[in-house]
């Protein structure tokens, strides 16, 4: 083992960032050998809007593949990056190439990605794209819109509270000839303007307070309320009336989304696109063709989040965790090879995971990008061990050599997973939505339920949220007059913090910790909280033995050292 240097992984400040990555397959058939032809797809549907287009300037001297996103901001999104591969073009490790991003205009209303090809396309060819999408408002801003884990039922149930459970409504929006029964607690939690207004109003017994909204259509008010209740837009955000409502009632995220969505594509932006695709010179005469002629659509699959990890290897150490999930170590990585002063010969990058199934994650594929090679990513190959197939998954990739320009190596991993817990998926949503309702409960803003554990009152809550999220609580509260303050009593056998975690899941749709899984599972079953029951079933399954798992990790690491030294 002479000459071998062990490296340890150091994660960047953001250990992992969940990403929406959607695939698109562009099939070209019977492309002829014309001197110059530009082929393009029809506009591609995504979430009900025509926002994408792919094309190929198929010129003999300088073929260019391009991808465009047009007005994606009207549904609150923009493209972060695009990669592609040509199906069947490689017999070795799977490599996806990264398309160059061209910044055109402001706000991402028009985005262009392009890459030169080695040769003109003739005959049949299939391009496989991976499109990474993010919210137009970054998650690190004061009012972000990003990809977050949430119980799908939480949104559906709260929205149903507006549409169906009208006996709980205590406010009415009057818009032209239409009335919307809504909930004071929901509106006050999401809007300081509403909260201040409700403090000034003296309630009249059995008479709901009315708020008249002039100058907007009922359809716009419905979109506004949908964002308030679910943190998600309904239809296009390019709506000036919706922007006025967002500004009036202080919904900063919705206001920011509408401002981006209302930006127009200018003629100069289109001219710049053509100039970029022509490389600044006058384009030769060429014909154009639409292929395929039928409409195509990209399906947004909520069950396949990809975790993007930024990593660094530095001298001296052992394999380290590269990602925590629910405060538990989940993914590990390490590097092997013979390290010289300027390069690493026969290097290998290795990835292992163990407890992912416990959290409802199934690994689909993993791609690695070295920071000194920004043009491509290489797929890690799965290595299955029959003896430990249920215990641990292992992936790796080998290189001939890697150059060392400093004392560390930076790279990214894209870890594509599949969510196996029904309704517990990642969603594009208002960052404030999961916390606004919970903060209203902890701050006792318009609360109408006392929560008691044993004989001790531990907090207050909102009847509308508890009724919407639990059929059992809904049935129980329906026997009590709405004007009376309600009480929920949990048996003393339940730990106070576990009860708070249970209520937090009802409010936010996300489990913040895995502590007390058995008690949480019992509460979820008692109160028929479907998604939480499914989460706890996995959490309470027998985990792999910790000693056995770490022994196996060390065994794999030693094996890799021996293999690389022998080579």
């Amino acid at each position: 083992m002479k000459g071998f240097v062990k490296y340890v992984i150091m994660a960047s400040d953001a250990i992992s960032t969940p990403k929406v990555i959607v695939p698109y397959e562009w099939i070209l058939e019977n492309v002829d050998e014309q001197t110059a032809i530009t082929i393009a797809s029809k506009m591609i549907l995504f979430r009900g809007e025509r926002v994408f287009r792919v094309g190929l300037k198929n010129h003999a001297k300088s073929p260019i593949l391009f991808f465009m996103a047009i007005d994606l901001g009207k549904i609150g999104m923009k493209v972060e990056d695009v990669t592609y591969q040509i199906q069947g073009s490689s017999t070795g490790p799977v490599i996806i190439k990264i398309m160059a991003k061209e910044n055109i205009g402001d706000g991402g209303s028009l985005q262009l990605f392009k890459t030169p090809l080695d040769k003109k396309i003739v005959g049949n060819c299939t391009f496989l794209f991976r499109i990474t999408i993010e919210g137009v408002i970054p998650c690190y801003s004061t009012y972000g819109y990003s990809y977050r884990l949430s119980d799908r039922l939480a949104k559906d149930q709260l929205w149903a509270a507006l549409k169906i459970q009208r006996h709980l409504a205590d406010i009415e929006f009057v818009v032209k000839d239409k009335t919307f029964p809504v909930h004071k607690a929901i509106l006050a939690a999401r809007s300081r303007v509403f909260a201040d207004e409700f403090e000034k109003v003296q309630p009249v017994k059995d008479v709901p307070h009315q708020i008249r909204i002039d100058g907007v259509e009922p359809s716009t008010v419905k979109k506004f309320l949908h964002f308030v209740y679910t943190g998600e837009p309904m239809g296009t955000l390019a709506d000036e009336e919706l922007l006025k409502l967002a500004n009036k009632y202080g919904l900063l995220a919705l206001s920011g989304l509408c401002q981006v969505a209302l930006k127009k594509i200018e003629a100069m932006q289109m001219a710049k696109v053509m100039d970029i695709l022509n490389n600044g010179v006058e384009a030769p005469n060429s014909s154009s063709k639409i292929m395929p002629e039928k409409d195509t659509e990209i399906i947004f699959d909520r069950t396949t989040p990809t975790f993007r990890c930024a990593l660094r290897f530095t001298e001296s150490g052992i394999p380290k965790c590269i990602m925590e999930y629910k405060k538990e170590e989940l993914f590990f990585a390490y590097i092997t090879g013979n390290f010289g002063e300027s390069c690493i010969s026969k290097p290998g990058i290795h990835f292992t995971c163990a407890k992912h199934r416990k959290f409802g994650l199934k690994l689909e594929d993993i791609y690695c990008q070295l920071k000194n090679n920004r043009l491509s990513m290489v797929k890690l190959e799965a290595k299955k061990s029959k003896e430990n197939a249920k215990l641990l998954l292992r992936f790796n990739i080998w290189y001939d050599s890697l150059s060392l320009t400093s004392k560390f190596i930076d790279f990214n991993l894209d870890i594509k997973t599949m969510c196996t817990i029904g309704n517990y998926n990642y969603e594009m949503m208002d960052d404030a939505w999961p916390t606004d309702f919970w903060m209203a409960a902890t701050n006792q803003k318009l609360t109408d339920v006392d929560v008691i554990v044993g004989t001790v009152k531990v907090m207050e809550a909102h009847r509308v949220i508890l009724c919407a999220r639990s059929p059992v609580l809904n049935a129980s509260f329906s026997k009590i007059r709405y004007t009376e303050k309600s009480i929920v009593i949990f048996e003393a056998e339940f730990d106070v913090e576990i009860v708070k975690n249970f209520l937090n899941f009802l409010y936010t749709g996300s489990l913040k910790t895995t502590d007390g899984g058995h008690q949480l599972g019992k509460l979820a079953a008692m109160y028929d909280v479907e998604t939480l029951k499914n989460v706890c079933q996995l959490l309470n399954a027998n985990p792999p033995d910790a000693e056995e798992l770490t022994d196996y990790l060390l065994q794999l690491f030693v094996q890799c050292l021996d293999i690389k030294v022998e080579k």
Side-chain angles (χ1 to χ4, degrees):
M1 295 181 62
K2 184 177 179 181
F4 188 86
V5 180
K6 287 187 289 186
Y7 269 50
V8 62
I9 294 179
M10 301 293 290
S12 63
D13 291 338
I15 293 178
S16 65
T17 307
K19 298 288 180 182
V20 186
I21 298 184
V22 295
Y24 180 69
E25 185 178 88
W26 190 37
I27 302 174
L28 301 181
E29 296 178 327
N30 303 318
V31 180
D32 56 36
E33 296 189 34
Q34 294 184 43
T35 303
I37 183 172
T38 297
I39 307 169
S41 69
K42 296 182 73 173
M43 290 297 294
I44 303 164
L45 279 165
F46 178 65
R47 306 198 83 175
E49 301 287 342
R50 300 178 186 276
V51 291
F52 296 136
R53 195 166 199 176
V54 297
L56 171 66
K57 289 180 66 68
N58 204 27
H59 299 180
K61 290 185 178 180
S62 57
I64 296 175
L65 178 69
F66 62 90
F67 180 96
M68 296 178 66
I70 304 100
D71 276 343
L72 184 59
K74 62 187 174 186
I75 54 175
M77 302 180 192
K78 63 182 179 181
V79 176
E80 181 177 336
D81 58 58
V82 180
T83 62
Y84 80 98
Q85 68 182 104
I86 299 176
Q87 191 175 67
S89 61
S90 175
T91 56
V94 177
I95 298 175
I96 55 177
K97 297 182 179 179
I98 301 170
M99 303 181 75
K101 182 177 182 178
E102 302 287 348
N103 293 318
I104 300 171
D106 180 38
S109 56
L110 178 61
Q111 293 179 277
L112 175 66
F113 300 80
K114 69 182 183 72
T115 188
L117 299 181
D118 295 334
K119 60 182 179 180
K120 183 179 178 180
I121 300 298
V122 177
N124 299 331
C125 181
T126 298
F127 291 97
L128 305 176
F129 294 91
R130 287 163 55 107
I131 308 151
T132 304
I133 297 171
E134 61 183 346
V136 293
I137 304 174
C139 60
Y140 49 79
S141 70
T142 55
Y143 51 95
Y145 180 77
S146 60
Y147 197 46
R148 304 174 70 91
L149 181 64
S150 179
D151 178 9
R152 178 71 250 169
L153 283 180
K155 299 167 183 296
D156 294 344
Q157 289 167 338
L158 286 178
W159 183 236
L162 181 145
K163 295 194 299 180
I164 301 170
Q165 300 178 26
R166 295 189 174 186
H167 61 283
L168 292 174
D170 49 5
I171 295 284
E172 288 181 347
F173 277 4
V174 181
V175 189
K176 293 188 174 179
D177 60 347
K178 188 170 180 60
T179 300
F180 295 91
V182 292
H183 304 88
K184 186 186 297 184
I186 299 287
L187 299 178
R190 297 282 279 141
S191 165
R192 166 49 59 186
V193 177
F194 279 126
D196 290 344
E197 181 175 340
F198 298 153
E199 287 181 0
K200 301 172 185 176
V201 174
Q202 294 297 323
V204 178
K205 187 176 181 180
D206 297 328
V207 178
H209 174 59
Q210 287 190 338
I211 297 177
R212 180 169 293 278
I213 301 180
D214 298 318
V216 298
E217 294 297 319
S219 59
T220 299
V221 173
K222 185 177 180 180
K223 289 197 292 185
F224 172 76
L225 289 172
H226 189 270
F227 194 87
V228 168
Y229 275 69
T230 70
E232 297 176 344
M234 172 188 283
T236 179
L237 289 155
D239 185 331
E240 291 186 357
E241 291 183 356
L242 186 60
L243 174 60
K244 290 177 182 177
L245 282 177
N247 287 336
K248 180 178 180 180
Y249 292 106
L251 265 69
L252 299 181
L254 182 58
S255 174
L257 290 170
C258 289
Q259 289 176 46
V260 173
L262 286 165
K263 291 182 178 179
K264 303 295 184 182
I265 296 176
E266 300 173 356
M268 288 298 294
Q269 291 177 308
M270 293 304 299
K272 187 175 180 181
V273 168
M274 298 307 300
D275 190 52
I276 291 171
L277 292 178
N278 293 328
N279 292 320
V281 298
E282 187 176 349
N285 293 327
S286 65
S287 60
S288 61
K289 187 174 183 179
I290 300 296
M291 189 181 297
E293 295 184 352
K294 63 180 181 180
D295 289 331
T296 55
E297 182 176 3
I298 294 175
I299 303 301
F300 178 63
D301 187 353
R302 295 184 175 93
T303 67
T304 55
T306 294
F307 297 98
R308 180 161 291 176
C309 301
L311 310 172
R312 169 171 290 184
F313 287 114
T314 59
E315 258 187 316
S316 179
I318 60 174
K320 288 284 187 177
C321 169
I322 62 171
M323 177 180 163
E324 289 186 355
Y325 189 84
K326 301 297 179 188
K327 299 182 180 180
E328 293 201 35
E329 295 182 342
L330 197 61
F331 299 146
F332 297 81
Y334 54 94
I335 188 169
T336 59
N338 294 311
F339 291 76
E341 292 185 1
S342 60
C343 73
I344 313 172
S345 62
K346 298 295 182 182
I349 294 175
H350 312 278
F351 173 94
T352 58
C353 53
K355 293 184 284 188
H356 55 292
R357 296 181 185 88
K358 175 181 177 182
F359 299 102
L361 296 176
K362 176 184 176 183
L363 261 73
E364 295 286 292
D365 59 48
I366 302 167
Y367 280 86
C368 177
Q369 177 199 13
L370 295 169
K371 292 276 184 80
N372 60 2
N373 182 3
R374 298 183 178 274
L375 300 179
S376 63
M377 301 182 76
V378 182
K379 186 176 181 179
L380 274 66
E381 297 180 355
K383 291 292 182 182
K384 295 182 179 179
S385 168
K386 292 182 181 179
E387 181 182 352
N388 293 283
K390 294 183 179 180
L391 179 65
L392 182 140
L393 288 180
R394 176 184 168 203
F395 299 79
N396 57 37
I397 185 70
W398 304 101
Y399 294 88
D400 290 332
S401 66
L402 291 176
S403 297
L404 282 174
T405 56
S406 60
K407 292 185 178 181
F408 51 81
I409 305 168
D410 287 323
F411 67 94
N412 293 324
L413 284 180
D414 273 6
I415 307 162
K416 183 181 178 183
T417 64
M418 176 175 286
C419 297
T420 62
I421 302 174
N423 295 312
Y424 202 43
N425 307 318
Y426 280 80
E427 309 270 358
M428 293 294 300
M429 57 190 289
D430 178 5
D431 288 350
W433 181 88
T435 57
D436 280 346
F437 296 135
W438 184 245
M439 289 299 295
T442 56
N443 293 333
Q444 299 183 11
K445 183 188 295 183
L446 296 177
T447 49
D448 50 9
V449 178
D450 287 337
V451 178
I452 296 174
V453 179
T455 58
V456 179
K457 177 181 173 181
V458 297
M459 64 176 293
E460 296 185 8
H462 300 90
R463 180 171 175 170
V464 58
I465 292 178
L466 300 187
C467 285
R469 297 286 280 133
S470 166
V472 175
L473 289 173
N474 186 40
S476 175
F477 286 142
S478 66
K479 302 172 185 177
I480 305 171
R481 284 176 55 86
Y482 184 65
T483 54
E484 298 176 1
K485 190 157 189 178
S486 305
I487 299 174
V488 176
I489 300 176
F490 295 89
E491 298 296 331
E493 67 176 286
F494 294 106
D495 184 81
V496 168
E497 289 304 313
I498 300 299
V499 171
K500 286 184 178 180
N501 288 339
F502 171 71
L503 294 172
N504 181 268
F505 185 87
L506 299 188
Y507 271 76
T508 68
S510 183
L511 191 60
K512 300 299 184 291
T513 177
T514 59
D515 294 341
H518 288 285
Q519 284 199 351
L520 273 175
K522 189 172 181 179
L523 286 170
M526 287 175 60
Y527 293 98
D528 197 15
V529 183
E530 182 179 335
T531 304
L532 185 57
K533 284 193 291 185
N534 296 334
V535 172
C536 289
Q537 283 178 1
L538 284 179
L539 288 177
N540 297 332
N542 292 327
D545 180 77
E547 184 174 357
E548 181 185 5
L549 179 60
T550 53
D551 284 347
Y552 184 49
L553 281 170
L554 292 173
Q555 179 187 354
L556 286 176
F557 185 59
V558 172
Q559 286 175 354
C560 288
L561 299 187
D562 293 339
I563 290 171
K564 300 316 292 177
V565 169
E566 287 174 6
K567 290 185 177 182

